[in-house]
Amino acid sequence: MKSKTNAKTWPDAKGYFGDYGGRYVPDTLMAPLIELEKAFEELSGKEAFWEEFATVLKTFVGRETPLQYARRLSEHLKGAKIYLKREDLAHTGAHKINNAIGQILVAKHMGKTRIIAETGAGQHGVATATAAAQYGLKCVVYMGADDMARQEMNVFRMRLLGAEVVAVNSGSRTLKDAVSEAMRDWVANIADTHYLLGSALGPHPYPRMVRDFQSVIGIEAREQILAAEKRLPDSIIACVGGGSNAIGIFSAFVGDEKTVLIGVEAGGTAIKPGQHAARFSGGTPGIFQGMKTYFLQNADGQAENTHSISAGLDYTAVGPEHSLLHDIKRAKYMSVSDDEAAAAFHLLARTEGIIPALESSHAIAMACKIAPKAGSTHLMIINLSGRGDKDIGIIQKYDGGKK
Ligand SMILES: *Cc1c(COP(=O)(O)O)cnc(C)c1O
């Protein structure tokens, strides 16, 4: 399986997607990033590397994931014919494992023996710990102390998988402080350590590398829809946190101009500072955590607080390729609220027998708005990025399980 993305178009040699991306980092981080860029460049040119990746995805992750016709959801919405790309059926319950496995293979080929990662809610930490255990690599996950208290089960899960979870007590004791701590560790331990970043963002080469690993979602979905319907979909809907599951499915369809690409961000409780994470509604371009991209900032360029019912979408910035797709109008970005996402969570559970992640529920909520108006000839794919077992406690507190 060769990575068949739009890699030839972007990013350019410096890691820019149009105006966005790049590598805005202190000098100390330049050396490891360039080493990683060279290693990935070389590996991604080798068919054998993609075959190795495909084999692990098949035997360990359980790919390919199905493309399922959602009959009862389609009937309920009385409009578009809807298919679900079932990333919730991948090992560990979401798409994040695709990227974790890909980067572990890169690290292994580079001779690295130690993996570090940062995690907010813990989902990326769990995927990383899982992939590291599979390859017998030492794994250290940095996590804000407050996040650790909130996500006790994921901390326990990572430890069961043999990872060391390090509490970060500085700053706001959440994700951004964990990122800083992981960066410090990387600079100090470049010789044996790979920093496994969890979404299609950060400094070059991460946005491209993560996209290329997640592009397996789009490659499969394109073949599957052509086999099932003999034609391309009219629309694809995916939720956008950092943007990796969305860019993973979008990448195979970017060249198909008639297929509308729709990214769904977290609208939270209101599109007001501190109450959402919709970067394309409330954000502006700037430099944040090593890249140029849209992020939520105040007039002084300081990152604003964010909120979402779903931890995976609750992030200040969006990956740079989405900023480009937004500006050139190749993809549309819209948001849905916490309430709408929660309602969609219940709807999918009852119509299809699938409990979706709250992140993925944002994509379903957007489909609920679009599908009824689209007409019965409209073919739609929703990327169901993950399963919702992890969110059952949150929904229970949110609405007591009543829709
Ligand atoms: C982490 C996560 C997301 C958001 O991350 P992206 O990089 O935007 O894909 C979406 N869905 C699920 C299930 C996740 O765990």
Side-chain angles (χ1 to χ4, degrees), residues 251-271:
S251 58
F253 298 90
V254 164
D256 304 317
E257 294 289 337
K258 285 192 179 138
T259 300
V260 178
L261 308 175
I262 299 167
V264 188
E265 297 182 289
T269 49
I271 305 295

Side-chain angles (χ1 to χ4, degrees), residues 93-96 123-124 198-200 239-246 312-313 357 359-360 385-387 390:
H95 68 290
K96 284 191 172 78
Q123 294 305 112
H124 173 55
S199 189
C239 65
V240 184
S244 69
N245 85 87
L313 303 188
E359 290 84 1
S360 323
S385 55
R387 67 173 185 232
K390 68 184 179 61

